[in-house]
Amino acid sequence: MTMFPKHTCRPPGNVSRILFHNTSLWRLDDIWTLFPTGREDYVVVQLEDGVVWELTRCYRFRRDNNSSLNYDYDGHKSGFSCLDGFIYDKSKWDNTVVTQWDLVCNREWFAKLIQPTFMFGVLLGALIFGYLSDRVGRRPVLWSTSIGMHVFGIAVAFTFDYYSFMLARFLLAIVASGYLVVVFVYVTEFIGMKARTWASIQIHSFFAIGTMVVALIGYLFRTWWIYQIILSTVTLPFVLCCWMIPETPFWLLSEGRYKEAQIVVDKMAKWNRTGTCKLSELLSLDLYGAVGEKPSEVKKYNLLDLFYDWNIGTRTLIVWLVWFTGCLGFYCFSLNSVNLGGNEYLNLFLMGAVEIPAYIFICVGMDVVGRRNVLMFSLISGALFCGVIMVIPKGNYIWSVVASMAGKFAIGSAFGLIYLYTAELYPTMIRTQAVGSGSVVCRVGSIIAPFCVYLSSVWLFMPQLLTGTLAFVSGLLTLKLPETLGKPLTTTWEQAIKLDEEKDSS
């Protein structure tokens, strides 16, 4: 959508002849196979009125002497900006946002703002909808955000200028982020301990499949607004069906709505063809008394409660560091993949494909050795692969690619695991805000990642040094977190604190 194709200034008239170095052409569209990508060059054209122009990427120069058409010219020439627009190479992309609104040369920074602005919207969405989900429930937020993704996704395709495009995409980022945060908590709270690991982690597998689908759709449809409309229609089935899903019993219980929670539990038992359980017996409640008839007064929580005491505060800081490191490493490896060469769509497809075995690995590993140990192993392995990349001799393409993919595998494992681990480390009334705050820190990492990659101009391996150092430190600090394998989701602060006590006693 925001790819930068090769381009040059459009001449101020109809072209009769074209000269590029020693090659004479008749159509400007034929120059792109010869036009360099890395260095500045120019094309010489002669218009039908005989005037000779030199066309560069951002300027055009009119020669005063039109007597001969030669590539090299030492005479006087007058410079002008590209007032008639630009000519773009359409061999790869028919139409992108860059070509739609000429976001090149002195307007290139407009294009570079698109991704950071989107990530800032993702950051806000995690904060806003994480909070709303704990206040009004998971179900209303899932419904509203899924509708928002469909509406704003279609709106992006029909924007009439750059600013309306940025606004619609910013709103799309907010609701998409809110949906992602809440749907993960929703699945975690609905799944029992036996299947919680697989169900929660496989959400990320569908994210990886989505990446591969995006690559396929991008390959088939090279016009950005058609591509955007097709991707937005994917959300339509859920928009039509999301009203059918119930609220989670965990949230209903945390709000004191015990009778509604019992109804949901009965429906779950019916669908699973098993006997129901009585919440009144498990929680020693009278569902038909004053408590069961109307919600009791329940304390509202905010982000400051993530620092409930010293142990919980330390836990929160470590979890945030892991979120930041995982996202920074994830995007650093992904952004560097464009330098691997070959087909861009195939590279994107492989970036999604490599995540699926990573998620299978953590699903198997978490149920065998626990969440904490797998997370520590993934982070430290990622750090080691960053070190390996730094010692591989320059020009050894194959080993560099293998090490980069291995590093993406390791960091991707940690990135996928931290969602589930965070949800298990905090009690119900603050769980969505915990995951949402982690997602906020995560998006800070995604905003910083492009600038981290730019540091390779200072030293080639600076991105790997920063990512590897953070991954190693995060991996060691993970040892201070409690293990949650085989334990039910906590519903109170006392149960969450007890996780640390059990860690210390073990």
Side-chain angles (χ1 to χ4, degrees):
M1 182 181 289
T2 57
M3 299 300 294
F4 288 88
K6 296 177 183 178
H7 65 275
T8 188
C9 268
R10 184 179 297 276
N14 295 324
V15 177
S16 60
R17 290 186 61 190
I18 304 166
L19 185 65
F20 184 74
H21 290 287
N22 296 323
T23 304
S24 180
L25 303 168
W26 295 102
R27 296 173 62 249
L28 277 173
D29 290 338
D30 297 332
I31 68 171
W32 303 120
T33 55
L34 307 173
F35 212 66
T37 303
R39 70 178 192 274
E40 186 68 29
D41 220 324
Y42 63 92
V43 182
V44 178
V45 298
Q46 187 175 42
L47 304 185
E48 292 179 348
D49 59 5
V51 179
V52 178
W53 290 81
E54 293 179 10
L55 308 178
T56 66
R57 288 186 175 88
C58 298
Y59 297 96
R60 56 188 182 182
F61 301 89
R62 185 183 61 200
R63 293 180 178 178
D64 291 349
N65 185 358
N66 301 317
S67 59
S68 62
L69 183 65
N70 297 316
Y71 189 78
D72 295 321
Y73 175 75
D74 296 328
H76 184 268
K77 51 189 176 182
S78 303
F80 302 88
S81 59
C82 302
L83 298 176
D84 296 291
F86 300 86
I87 298 174
Y88 296 97
D89 176 14
K90 295 186 177 182
S91 60
K92 289 185 177 181
W93 307 286
D94 293 336
N95 188 14
T96 70
V97 172
V98 172
T99 63
Q100 179 85 19
W101 294 302
D102 288 335
L103 305 181
V104 293
C105 299
N106 62 333
R107 288 172 54 85
E108 184 176 334
W109 67 276
F110 283 100
K112 292 184 176 180
L113 277 179
I114 292 175
Q115 192 63 19
T117 303
F118 184 86
M119 286 302 178
F120 182 65
V122 171
L123 185 151
L124 287 182
L127 271 179
I128 294 170
F129 288 103
Y131 173 76
L132 288 177
S133 175
D134 285 333
R135 291 297 299 267
V136 303
R138 291 30 168 158
R139 184 174 180 265
V141 172
L142 280 178
W143 197 357
S144 60
T145 53
S146 61
I147 293 173
M149 282 194 296
H150 181 71
V151 172
F152 292 129
I154 296 294
V156 168
F158 289 97
T159 49
F160 52 87
D161 62 9
Y162 171 80
Y163 300 102
S164 60
F165 168 82
M166 290 289 282
L167 177 60
R169 203 161 183 265
F170 179 72
L171 295 174
L172 173 63
I174 291 176
V175 295
S177 174
Y179 177 84
L180 183 61
V181 170
V182 177
V183 77
F184 187 86
V185 174
Y186 185 89
V187 171
T188 302
E189 292 185 343
F190 250 112
I191 303 299
M193 286 188 295
K194 291 183 179 179
R196 188 197 305 158
T197 299
W198 280 91
S200 300
I201 296 302
Q202 292 316 312
I203 293 177
H204 297 286
S205 293
F206 283 102
F207 188 85
I209 293 172
T211 302
M212 293 187 283
V213 171
V214 165
L216 178 61
I217 294 176
Y219 177 77
L220 295 175
F221 301 94
R222 306 297 179 93
T223 301
W224 75 268
W225 58 270
I226 297 177
Y227 160 87
Q228 178 68 34
I229 290 175
I230 293 174
L231 289 181
S232 299
T233 57
V234 176
T235 61
L236 186 58
F238 187 74
V239 171
L240 299 176
C241 301
C242 62
W243 61 271
M244 300 171 59
I245 64 174
E247 186 55 78
T248 69
F250 274 97
W251 184 82
L252 291 171
L253 289 173
S254 70
E255 293 291 303
R257 296 160 62 174
Y258 305 110
K259 193 172 181 179
E260 296 175 55
Q262 183 65 62
I263 294 174
V264 175
V265 170
D266 292 341
K267 287 182 179 179
M268 293 169 63
K270 182 179 179 181
W271 275 97
N272 288 283
R273 298 179 181 178
T274 186
T276 187
C277 63
K278 296 296 182 181
L279 297 178
S280 57
E281 297 174 2
L282 292 176
L283 304 176
S284 301
L285 298 171
D286 180 9
L287 295 184
Y288 300 98
V291 175
E293 292 295 336
K294 59 180 180 180
S296 57
E297 198 67 31
V298 180
K299 178 185 175 182
K300 301 303 180 182
Y301 295 87
N302 54 49
L303 286 177
L304 293 178
D305 290 295
L306 292 175
F307 299 88
Y308 179 81
D309 64 10
W310 176 261
N311 288 332
I312 296 295
T314 302
R315 182 187 305 180
T316 297
L317 291 176
I318 295 174
V319 167
W320 283 356
L321 179 61
V322 175
W323 276 92
F324 178 82
T325 302
C327 191
L328 179 69
F330 189 89
Y331 282 101
C332 278
F333 278 111
S334 297
L335 291 173
N336 273 331
S337 69
V338 298
N339 300 321
L340 297 178
N343 186 283
E344 294 87 351
Y345 301 102
L346 178 60
N347 290 344
L348 179 60
F349 185 90
L350 294 176
M351 280 295 120
V354 77
E355 296 177 40
I356 295 178
Y359 299 142
I360 295 175
F361 160 73
I362 59 178
C363 281
V364 175
M366 283 195 303
D367 283 339
V368 176
V369 298
R371 281 79 159 126
R372 180 181 60 187
N373 293 333
V374 172
L375 181 60
M376 178 192 66
F377 175 79
S378 298
L379 287 169
I380 293 181
S381 296
L384 291 177
F385 284 122
C386 285
V388 170
I389 294 172
M390 294 169 63
V391 299
I392 294 177
K394 186 177 180 180
N396 201 326
Y397 168 76
I398 296 178
W399 285 109
S400 296
V401 171
V402 170
S404 296
M405 299 304 285
K408 176 70 182 301
F409 179 97
I411 292 294
S413 298
F415 191 40
L417 170 56
I418 193 59
Y419 277 86
L420 173 64
Y421 197 24
T422 302
E424 293 180 339
L425 286 173
Y426 293 90
T428 303
M429 61 277 192
I430 200 71
R431 184 172 296 126
T432 308
Q433 291 193 53
V435 176
S437 66
S439 183
V440 169
V441 176
C442 163
R443 298 310 161 190
V444 173
S446 66
I447 294 172
I448 294 176
F451 301 102
C452 182
V453 174
Y454 295 155
L455 290 176
S456 59
S457 60
V458 178
W459 184 47
L460 182 62
F461 299 115
M462 186 65 77
Q464 287 80 8
L465 177 63
L466 294 176
T467 301
T469 302
L470 281 173
F472 186 76
V473 172
S474 301
L476 294 180
L477 289 176
T478 300
L479 292 173
K480 295 183 67 64
L481 297 175
E483 181 56 66
T484 58
L485 175 63
K487 297 174 183 176
L489 291 176
T490 59
T491 57
T492 64
W493 282 119
E494 290 72 20
Q495 293 173 353
I497 294 172
K498 191 177 180 181
L499 293 174
D500 278 309
E501 297 173 354
E502 293 175 354
K503 173 187 68 109
D504 295 335
S505 62
S506 62

